[in-house]
Amino acid sequence: MNNQSIAKNLIYQRKLKGFTQQELSARTEVTVRTIQRIEKGDVNPHLQTINLLATALEIEVDDLLQLENPKEEAIQKKWLLLLHGTPLLGFILPFCNVLFPLFLWIHKREDNTLYDRHGAKIVNFQITVLLLYVLSFVALLTIEKWGFLIFILVIPLCVLIVIINIIYAIKESKCYYPFSIPFLKGRTRGIAKVTLLLIPLLAFINCAPKNNNKITRLDSTEISKDSLTNTINQLMNNAEVHGMAITIFNEKKPVYQNTFGYKNVPKQLVLTDTTNIYGASLSKAVFSVLVMKLVENKVIDLDTPLESYLPKKIYEYEPQTRWHDDYSDLKSDSLYHKITTRMCLAHTSGFNNWRFFEADRKLRANFEPGSKYFYSGEGLVYLQVVIEKLTKKPLEELAQELIFKPLEMNNTSYQWQPRFKKDFAHGHTIKGETYDKDIDNEPRSASTLETTANDYTKFLTAVLNEKILSKASYNEIFSPQIRIKTLAHFGPNSKTSTNKYDAINLSCGLAWLNFDTPYGKAVTKSGHGDGFQHYSILFPETGKGMLIMTNSDNGESIYKELLEIALADTYTPWEWSNYIPYNHM
């Protein structure tokens, strides 16, 4: 440093402020003798001394240390460029947005107070950025819609601030970093505090889920969420699927939730995850959990004939609904009294799917209850009616009490609610025409669920994590109750016997189908109604699964490809379920 230059600058600044040497000494820790020697040019003052004098005079240190060498000024700009620019390396090497400028600041802070001031501000800002990133990640997981916006804005905003400060520092030797928390205030103060802060912060970030944009499939391969979204859009376009909601589970929690298309195609109204969707036979999966909760509470037993719970014959009760609790047809039936809870849930009651499928439209047990599988909504409704009479509570009240409220399924009901009218999905024909919305259904355990993609995701998440019920109860639900030996689920082939699916042990549990895979047991439940086609599959042992909900008669035509692409599920017996791919038709 040039002693004469410092001497002249100090005298000029002191007199400009109107201070005597004694007054300046009183404002600092510098003695009068030292000030006198500096002003005479007899000593080369320490940088700390110059800093104290500049603080007392309320000026920048540079006003005392005037750079007169152009080469020295160029070197200074290079160091400033390094200090301000190295945080951008954090995009390539994690945490280097803090570590590189911190290293440079520690190395250069004694050389020039300019480096000291700039370095401290940069490190403070970059640590604050890390904290903001952590908070935005939490917001992404907890705040719907706005959380994603906050998350994607943090990094671009911080990069913009860094670039502006690079230019500002090179041109004016100044910088401004807003929102910074002052962990460092220059010199050596704060280094220990920063170190203590960085250790848990880096540990937290390292523990955060990696590959957040990736979905891990059954075979451990990965697919990016963007790629899956593009594929789904393409499949829907090819097969003319009108609206769809998808959830994919990894590690027993949803890692991908998205909606596509429309809730009403003619009006171009967009489908969302809170849009009311008719659940069709997804109703049965919810009812199975409800029933097992009653079993746990010893309200009912799986293997006691249902008729024995009632003080009189089921056909002697006066119907309380338009048709589904009218059991007058059973007065002449000699088999129905053998039907148990297990048989109703396992579809071995002997009842047809619905009584109006019978030629005479009369309900009857068509075979020995418990002897074979035959899909029956009537069986579950019979169980529902007995439970309602036994508990003296309607189905909707029981479902709200035992399932919907505990899981915060606030937009789910076994009966259409007036509040659903503001946002509901129409079913669509294969040509995209809308079906009339049926809002006049009475609550039935097998078929009348009204829900949303978001709510039903909550239900499947609870199932994967064994909420509501004990592990033993879920094991019972998912255990094979009866082997399925038919060529197809519905239609003429549902009465044709085959051993085609023996290799996967295709069976029915308690309202859920199950079959064996190399990744453990798969449990599934589907739903099908006019304009609505749904499919859910869970792999409890791996914590993986998928939910597909569509409001289109074309929905099932892309199930095979969707399952293979999103989950590497090549095991679902799609032919048995009649999920014929659109490009095979």
Side-chain angles (χ1 to χ4, degrees):
M1 288 182 287
N2 188 320
N3 295 359
Q4 295 302 320
S5 175
I6 295 173
K8 290 177 182 179
N9 290 339
L10 179 57
I11 294 169
Y12 171 76
Q13 293 292 345
R14 178 174 60 78
K15 290 182 177 180
L16 185 65
K17 298 292 182 180
F19 296 151
T20 64
Q21 292 177 337
Q22 289 76 13
E23 288 172 334
L24 180 58
S25 175
R27 288 173 168 269
T28 66
E29 299 175 3
V30 182
T31 64
V32 174
R33 177 60 180 157
T34 300
I35 294 173
Q36 290 173 344
R37 294 179 68 195
I38 292 173
E39 291 187 351
K40 289 180 180 179
D42 292 342
V43 296
N44 186 4
H46 193 277
L47 192 59
Q48 179 65 21
T49 303
I50 295 173
N51 190 45
L52 291 171
L53 292 170
T55 301
L57 291 168
E58 298 179 346
I59 60 174
E60 298 289 335
V61 173
D62 290 347
D63 293 332
L64 294 178
L65 291 174
Q66 187 175 3
L67 285 171
E68 297 176 352
N69 187 339
K71 184 177 179 181
E72 185 177 347
E73 184 174 358
I75 293 172
Q76 185 185 90
K77 289 186 184 297
K78 288 178 182 178
W79 280 112
L80 288 177
L81 177 61
L82 280 173
L83 276 168
H84 290 277
T86 49
L88 295 176
L89 293 174
F91 285 107
I92 302 172
L93 302 172
F95 317 124
C96 286
N97 62 312
V98 173
L99 297 179
F100 279 175
L102 180 63
F103 172 78
L104 290 171
W105 174 70
I106 293 171
H107 179 64
K108 297 296 293 182
R109 69 184 189 277
E110 297 289 347
D111 293 355
N112 191 318
T113 55
L114 187 67
Y115 304 149
D116 185 36
R117 289 199 317 276
H118 281 237
K121 290 179 180 178
I122 294 165
V123 174
N124 286 338
F125 177 73
Q126 294 301 330
I127 294 175
T128 304
V129 168
L130 279 182
L131 290 172
L132 284 174
Y133 177 76
V134 171
L135 292 174
S136 68
F137 182 77
V138 172
L140 176 66
L141 299 178
T142 59
I143 303 175
E144 189 175 345
K145 296 180 182 177
W146 287 106
F148 176 72
L149 183 63
I150 293 169
F151 181 73
I152 63 172
L153 285 179
V154 168
I155 300 302
L157 178 61
C158 295
V159 170
L160 180 63
I161 292 172
V162 169
I163 293 172
I164 290 172
N165 274 282
I166 290 173
I167 298 169
Y168 192 32
I170 292 174
K171 287 188 174 182
E172 305 291 338
S173 296
K174 296 179 181 179
C175 65
Y176 175 67
Y177 287 94
F179 319 122
S180 300
I181 301 172
F183 301 101
L184 297 176
K185 297 181 180 178
R187 310 299 296 167
T188 58
R189 292 176 292 173
I191 296 178
K193 183 164 62 175
V194 169
T195 303
L196 290 173
L197 175 70
L198 281 175
I199 291 173
L201 184 61
L202 297 182
F204 176 86
I205 295 174
N206 276 326
C207 290
K210 300 297 189 296
N211 294 327
N212 192 46
N213 191 44
K214 299 285 187 179
I215 296 165
T216 304
R217 299 183 283 199
L218 288 168
D219 58 2
S220 298
T221 60
E222 294 180 337
I223 182 171
S224 74
K225 294 178 181 179
D226 291 341
S227 175
L228 178 60
T229 298
N230 292 336
T231 301
I232 292 172
N233 279 317
Q234 187 62 55
L235 283 173
M236 289 181 65
N237 183 63
N238 292 346
E240 298 182 10
V241 176
H242 306 101
M244 177 176 286
I246 299 286
T247 300
I248 298 175
F249 299 88
N250 278 181
E251 298 178 352
K252 300 183 179 182
K253 61 180 182 292
V255 293
Y256 179 89
Q257 288 180 266
N258 212 343
T259 53
F260 306 82
Y262 300 96
K263 61 184 180 182
N264 186 311
V265 169
K267 294 183 179 179
Q268 296 288 284
L269 299 177
V270 175
L271 182 74
T272 73
D273 62 359
T274 56
T275 297
N276 165 268
I277 299 175
Y278 170 56
S281 286
L282 294 182
S283 309
K284 296 178 175 71
V286 175
F287 186 60
S288 72
V289 174
L290 185 155
V291 172
M292 284 306 296
K293 190 64 179 176
L294 295 176
V295 171
E296 286 185 352
N297 294 341
K298 302 189 184 306
V299 173
I300 199 167
D301 181 79
L302 285 175
D303 298 309
T304 299
L306 290 172
E307 188 177 70
S308 67
Y309 287 105
L310 305 178
K312 56 185 180 180
K313 302 294 184 181
I314 191 69
Y315 53 77
E316 294 177 349
Y317 285 90
E318 187 72 23
Q320 302 298 307
T321 67
R322 288 194 298 272
W323 64 270
H324 74 248
D325 66 339
D326 182 354
Y327 290 104
S328 57
D329 295 340
L330 297 180
K331 189 173 183 178
S332 59
D333 192 283
S334 61
L335 297 174
Y336 89 91
H337 66 278
K338 300 179 181 181
I339 297 172
T340 65
T341 299
R342 189 186 302 275
M343 294 172 189
C344 290
L345 292 175
H347 297 284
T348 63
S349 66
F351 291 149
N352 208 324
N353 192 5
W354 297 111
R355 64 189 69 186
F356 43 79
F357 289 171
E358 299 284 2
D360 58 4
R361 302 178 71 85
K362 291 185 177 181
L363 184 64
R364 62 175 60 86
N366 291 291
F367 53 82
E368 181 72 21
S371 64
K372 66 178 181 179
Y373 174 85
F374 193 82
Y375 193 78
S376 174
E378 288 282 3
L380 274 80
V381 172
Y382 174 52
L383 173 58
Q384 167 199 336
V385 172
V386 171
I387 287 173
E388 288 178 325
K389 295 186 183 305
L390 183 62
T391 62
K392 295 180 171 54
K393 292 181 180 181
L395 171 63
E396 177 65 14
E397 183 180 339
L398 287 168
Q400 291 291 344
E401 175 188 332
L402 299 177
I403 299 178
F404 301 153
K405 287 182 179 178
L407 297 181
E408 297 183 352
M409 295 170 66
N410 300 322
N411 295 305
T412 299
S413 172
Y414 271 104
Q415 187 169 25
W416 172 265
Q417 302 295 332
R419 70 178 187 274
F420 297 159
K421 188 175 181 180
K422 65 180 181 181
D423 184 14
F424 71 93
H426 279 276
H428 295 82
T429 68
I430 58 176
K431 295 182 179 180
E433 299 166 345
T434 58
Y435 287 98
D436 290 336
K437 176 63 181 176
D438 185 359
I439 62 173
D440 196 30
N441 275 329
E442 295 169 301
R444 287 188 288 276
S445 57
S447 60
T448 63
L449 191 73
E450 300 283 349
T451 189
T452 67
N454 192 47
D455 270 13
Y456 206 79
T457 294
K458 291 178 182 179
F459 172 70
L460 293 181
T461 303
V463 171
L464 275 172
N465 288 276
E466 297 175 346
K467 303 295 184 183
I468 302 292
L469 300 177
S470 66
K471 183 179 182 64
S473 291
Y474 278 114
N475 286 341
E476 189 69 55
I477 288 175
F478 298 147
S479 292
Q481 306 294 324
I482 191 158
R483 286 287 301 278
I484 296 175
K485 294 282 191 175
T486 60
L487 193 58
H489 197 184
F490 297 111
N493 286 333
S494 65
K495 297 180 180 179
T496 303
S497 297
T498 182
N499 60 3
K500 181 177 180 178
Y501 301 105
D502 284 1
I504 61 172
N505 292 316
L506 181 62
S507 305
C508 186
L510 298 181
W512 300 65
L513 297 181
N514 58 71
F515 53 89
D516 294 339
T517 78
Y519 306 101
K521 185 183 300 178
V523 296
T524 80
K525 189 69 201 81
S526 60
H528 189 115
D530 288 344
F532 292 94
Q533 298 180 350
H534 315 310
Y535 185 73
S536 64
I537 182 166
L538 303 177
F539 295 82
E541 294 176 41
T542 67
K544 293 180 170 59
M546 187 170 181
L547 169 65
I548 307 170
M549 303 182 78
T550 77
N551 61 329
S552 171
D553 280 341
N554 295 325
E556 293 170 352
S557 69
I558 61 173
Y559 283 5
K560 179 179 181 291
E561 288 191 63
L562 270 180
L563 292 164
E564 291 177 359
I565 292 167
L567 210 57
D569 171 18
T570 58
Y571 313 102
T572 289
W574 56 271
E575 290 177 299
W576 182 80
S577 298
N578 201 38
Y579 298 155
I580 308 302
Y582 69 95
N583 51 9
H584 290 194
M585 294 179 180

